[in-house]
Amino acid sequence: MTTREDVSEANRSIFDGISAVSDYHKGFRSTGFLDAGERAALLSVADAVRGQPALDLGVGAGRTTTLLRLLTDHYDAADYAPRMVAEFHHNFPELPVRVADARDLGDYPDDVYALTLFSNNAIDAVGRAERPRVLRELARVTRPGGYLIFSTLHRGGPSYAERPLQLRRPTRRFSLRQIVIDNMRLLARPGRALRAIRSWRANRARIDDHGSWAVGPLAAHEFGLIVHFTTYEDLIDLLHSTGLSDVVVFDESGLPIAADADAAGADSFTVVARVPAA
Ligand SMILES: C[S@@+](CC[C@H](N)C(=O)[O-])C[C@H]1O[C@@H](n2cnc3c(N)ncnc32)[C@H](O)[C@@H]1O
């Protein structure tokens, strides 16, 4: 069993597996916004970053590539999983991509990008202690006055504390229809269902709940990933501690979350933050 400190490496090997690459290949084929929060976040910076350099970090198979290429010709992609990078290259042979880890973007010069995107809760795959380092690296490669956009899972959302073959998602209202859909999906692929049950059993002991944040298995990739879940307050603390400004947080319905709003229903938050101008 992996220790709490090395979740990032264990998660990297899941992302670098054939099954994850095939999942994100499907995501690439159905290009589009992940949710209305991502759409609102990208739209909110579109005018400011149009035609400027953009970095698409944790690009996977390239779901977000077309979205960013519509904004700019100066597009760079990166991912820490070599198989994802190979898949991206297969999908977009004409575009630059490299293997790079958000925890240490060593080769990348400072102050280059007007927009740095780390989409689809990829930041949650690093250990809690490494989250500030990731944001500092994203900010370092972004120009003063430029924007970061990333999304992150909510401790109070339906993805937290899920189980395979569950009767309902723990933080969601009871819905018979949803229970049937979720379980039929798993049962239609018995190999995946068995893998999910096996890894959930191995990983459930890793749930580490601190109330304002938690770490635990995620149903995606058959409960193989161990990820971080935040709360709105915890997220704002992280953003302030890394010196980012002009923070706007969207829920997945695309509404900005006000400081005093109840964020209880959100599954994830999409954050827009600005690197302070020099
Ligand atoms: C959930 S997938 C999202 C893929 C794609 N961006 C999308 O939205 O469909 C997360 C991606 O981020 C990558 N990733 C996770 N942690 C990373 C890190 N520390 N540095 C770079 N890439 C990372 C994974 O390999 C994976 O391809």
Side-chain angles (χ1 to χ4, degrees):
M1 186 189 278
T2 50
T3 63
R4 279 186 181 151
E5 289 69 42
D6 60 14
V7 290
S8 308
E9 287 313 309
N11 287 338
R12 187 209 294 247
S13 60
I14 303 268
F15 282 125
D16 205 31
I18 288 164
S19 153
V21 172
S22 135
D23 284 351
Y24 290 111
H25 179 72
K26 286 175 208 138
F28 149 74
R29 289 205 325 247
S30 60
T31 46
F33 296 105
L34 188 65
D35 56 35
E38 184 178 78
R39 184 178 61 201
L42 281 168
L43 267 178
S44 75
V45 304
D47 286 346
V49 307
R50 199 180 312 282
Q52 309 292 314
L55 174 62
D56 197 349
L57 193 56
V59 71
R63 177 188 62 84
T64 45
T65 303
T66 315
L67 302 174
L68 291 195
R69 284 290 283 109
L70 289 170
L71 267 183
T72 183
D73 291 341
H74 307 272
Y75 173 86
D76 288 328
D79 198 290
Y80 75 168
R83 271 211 179 95
M84 288 290 184
V85 167
E87 180 65 19
F88 177 92
H89 183 65
H90 173 78
N91 294 333
F92 297 98
E94 73 288 6
L95 293 179
V97 62
R98 52 172 137 158
V99 176
D101 189 330
R103 292 170 292 171
D104 179 1
L105 294 169
D107 284 354
Y108 284 81
D110 297 356
D111 303 345
V112 171
Y113 298 101
L115 171 64
T116 301
L117 175 68
F118 198 28
S119 65
N120 204 344
N121 311 316
I123 193 174
D124 299 330
V126 305
R128 177 170 175 85
E130 296 174 308
R131 288 165 75 83
R133 179 143 62 109
V134 166
L135 287 190
R136 279 196 296 271
E137 274 297 82
L138 266 58
R140 178 181 70 74
V141 299
T142 306
R143 294 174 178 171
Y147 293 88
L148 310 185
I149 295 183
F150 68 95
S151 62
T152 182
L153 287 158
H154 180 207
R155 155 75 184 73
S159 292
Y160 179 65
E162 284 203 84
R163 296 156 163 254
L165 304 176
Q166 63 200 355
L167 277 182
R168 69 180 177 87
R169 299 183 92 183
T171 55
R172 269 277 148 93
R173 279 199 316 276
F174 180 85
S175 152
L176 188 58
R177 185 173 168 273
Q178 203 53 53
I179 292 168
V180 171
I181 292 172
D182 289 349
N183 288 302
M184 288 310 286
R185 225 178 254 149
L186 257 188
L187 292 173
R189 295 191 290 184
R192 286 207 163 200
L194 279 178
R195 270 207 305 282
I197 292 167
R198 220 176 288 132
S199 24
W200 177 74
R201 284 191 157 167
N203 285 333
R204 67 185 158 174
R206 311 276 308 275
I207 294 176
D208 185 17
D209 188 359
H210 295 252
S212 64
W213 61 275
V215 169
L218 184 70
H221 308 299
E222 291 84 56
F223 293 91
L225 293 175
I226 306 289
V227 298
H228 185 277
F229 296 83
T230 191
T231 53
Y232 182 80
E233 294 70 26
D234 180 57
L235 175 62
I236 296 298
D237 284 352
L238 171 69
L239 291 162
H240 286 163
S241 74
T242 41
L244 293 162
S245 69
D246 299 4
V247 171
V248 183
V249 181
F250 295 95
D251 67 16
E252 71 265 49
S253 70
L255 293 174
I257 299 174
D260 56 351
D262 175 13
D267 193 37
S268 68
F269 302 118
T270 301
V271 178
V272 179
R274 208 150 184 210
V275 176

